């Protein structure tokens, strides 16, 4: 894992914890990258390594997660979108490429709609395209359907970091894709003292954000984008199942033809390894380099 800086950035009366992987050149382009609903900024660590200093990568822990877990509500996709816009302003950035994974992709789309002056091209990584919620499910049932076992993890305790590592290594998505970078990412989530350590994600934040994914403003953001976007969608799902979040049929039903979104399938990856794995990370990096106008191979020499 390559070194990064951790800074506190003022946003809307609070301070977000933000990781920064600086480029080799001070005038290099900047990419801001957003994590998923129960993730944290270090999920972008493999991408940072593969970028190899050609751009500056900035990734916040979103409100209610990891280093930003103490930030209060209200939560929701719009609150995250406004936080991200405030982040770019506080850091003195011009219009930047904005990327987001999973829930972060929905935040990306809405941030671009709410703050078009702050963001240029968009990269949606296995998220950002939503569908109406089933009407027969309660809010908590809906949330379980969206993120599955991840919600259960938030109320669990673990005797130590080794136990948390073992818990994640047994996850089907990571069974054949474990790395030191993935370990660092999941360990950033863990907090508390032995023998009752727990996830740093605030349950109320995850619940509010998950339900908010089905709000009209969030669902329609992708149809109002002021900048072009690329959707990278994983062939496999959250539990490494054959059915991913998206496929050709679902994307055809989403009718993206008039949205400015270009869908690109990524084979042989799941929802997580599209971001944290080597093959998926290289695809993301190639698109980020294209969006920022930075030329070069997708892996360091």
């Amino acid at each position: 894992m390559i070194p990064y800086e951790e800074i506190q950035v003022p946003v809307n009366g609070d301070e977000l914890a933000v990781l920064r992987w600086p480029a080799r050149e001070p005038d290099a382009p900047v990419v801001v990258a957003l994590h998923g609903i129960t993730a944290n900024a270090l999920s972008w660590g493999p991408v940072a390594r593969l970028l190899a200093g050609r751009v500056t990568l900035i990734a916040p822990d979103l409100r209610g997660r990891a280093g930003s877990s103490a930030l209060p509500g209200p939560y929701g996709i719009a609150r995250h979108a406004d936080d991200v816009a405030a982040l770019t302003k506080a850091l003195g950035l011009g219009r930047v490429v904005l990327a987001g994974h999973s829930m972060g992709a929905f935040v990306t789309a809405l941030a671009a709609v709410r703050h078009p002056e702050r963001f240029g091209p968009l990269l949606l990584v296995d998220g950002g395209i939503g569908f109406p919620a089933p009407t027969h499910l309660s809010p908590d049932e809906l949330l379980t359907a969206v993120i599955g076992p991840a919600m259960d993890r938030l109320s669990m305790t673990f005797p130590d970091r080794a136990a948390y590592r073992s818990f994640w290594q047994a996850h089907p998505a990571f069974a054949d894709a474990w790395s030191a970078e993935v370990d660092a990412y999941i360990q950033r989530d863990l907090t508390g003292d032995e023998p009752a350590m727990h996830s740093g994600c605030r349950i109320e934040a995850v619940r509010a954000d998950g339900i908010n994914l089905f709000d009209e403003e969030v669902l329609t953001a992708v149809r109002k984008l002021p900048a072009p976007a690329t959707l990278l969608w994983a062939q496999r799902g959250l539990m490494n199942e054959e059915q991913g979040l998206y496929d050709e049929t679902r994307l055809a039903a989403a009718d993206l033809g008039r949205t400015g979104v270009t869908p690109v399938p990524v084979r042989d990856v799941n929802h997580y390894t599209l971001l944290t794995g080597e093959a998926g990370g290289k695809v993301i990096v190639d698109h980020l380099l294209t969006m920022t106008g930075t030329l070069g191979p997708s892996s360091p020499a």
Side-chain angles (χ1 to χ4, degrees):
M1 186 173 64
I2 64 173
Y4 57 85
E5 305 167 351
E6 182 164 353
I7 57 178
Q8 298 291 318
V9 179
V11 295
N12 303 316
D14 298 301
E15 286 190 338
L16 282 181
V18 176
L19 305 189
R20 181 179 182 271
W21 289 268
R24 292 189 298 264
E25 302 297 331
D27 59 347
V30 175
V31 172
V32 174
L34 310 178
H35 62 72
I37 192 166
T38 63
N40 61 72
L42 263 187
S43 61
W44 286 89
V47 169
R49 171 176 53 81
L50 292 167
L51 283 169
R54 286 166 288 184
V55 305
T56 290
L57 183 67
I58 294 173
D61 287 330
L62 296 176
R63 186 177 293 266
R65 281 80 171 176
S68 303
S69 63
L71 271 65
Y75 305 102
I77 306 304
R79 187 73 186 273
H80 296 311
D82 293 346
D83 281 346
V84 174
L87 162 70
T88 63
K89 183 177 181 180
L91 293 177
L93 303 176
R95 294 180 80 237
V96 298
V97 171
L98 185 60
H101 174 244
S102 195
M103 182 196 79
F106 288 89
V107 178
T108 292
L110 190 58
V113 171
R114 290 170 71 96
H115 306 278
E117 74 286 357
R118 305 225 64 90
F119 304 111
L122 310 173
L123 185 64
L124 310 177
V125 182
D126 219 34
I129 312 298
F131 301 92
T135 56
H136 64 284
L137 297 180
S138 71
D140 279 354
E141 288 173 334
L142 182 60
L143 190 57
T144 299
V146 172
I147 63 175
M151 192 65 184
D152 296 334
R153 185 186 92 246
L154 303 187
S155 58
M156 297 173 64
T157 59
F158 301 86
D160 52 32
R161 291 189 176 276
Y164 199 51
R165 178 180 298 112
S166 296
F167 172 85
W168 273 105
Q169 286 177 326
H171 193 294
F174 293 107
D176 298 316
W178 195 257
S179 68
E181 290 168 327
V182 170
D183 190 59
Y185 147 52
I186 65 101
Q187 293 292 347
R188 182 172 175 81
D189 173 58
L190 197 63
T191 190
D193 299 316
E194 299 179 3
M197 304 187 79
H198 57 90
S199 170
C201 292
R202 299 182 67 164
I203 293 178
E204 62 269 31
V206 173
R207 179 176 285 112
D209 294 344
I211 295 171
N212 188 220
L213 288 173
F214 297 95
D215 283 3
E216 186 72 9
E217 181 186 23
V218 177
L219 288 176
T220 60
V222 74
R223 305 193 176 281
K224 304 173 184 176
L225 297 178
T230 298
L231 167 67
L232 301 179
W233 58 273
Q235 181 182 33
R236 304 180 70 84
L238 279 79
M239 302 296 288
N240 202 37
E241 68 272 32
E242 291 187 9
Q243 176 62 61
L245 295 180
Y246 303 107
D247 58 26
E248 286 86 353
T249 301
R250 291 178 179 180
L251 291 172
D255 189 23
L256 299 177
R258 297 184 296 276
T259 64
V261 177
T262 301
V264 177
V266 185
R267 307 299 179 187
D268 302 319
V269 298
N270 61 50
H271 178 72
Y272 292 101
T273 58
L274 175 54
L275 179 63
T276 64
E278 201 74 7
K282 287 179 178 179
V283 174
I284 290 173
V285 165
D286 286 342
H287 282 272
L288 292 178
L289 294 178
T290 297
M291 289 177 172
T292 58
T294 309
L295 301 178
S298 62
S299 57

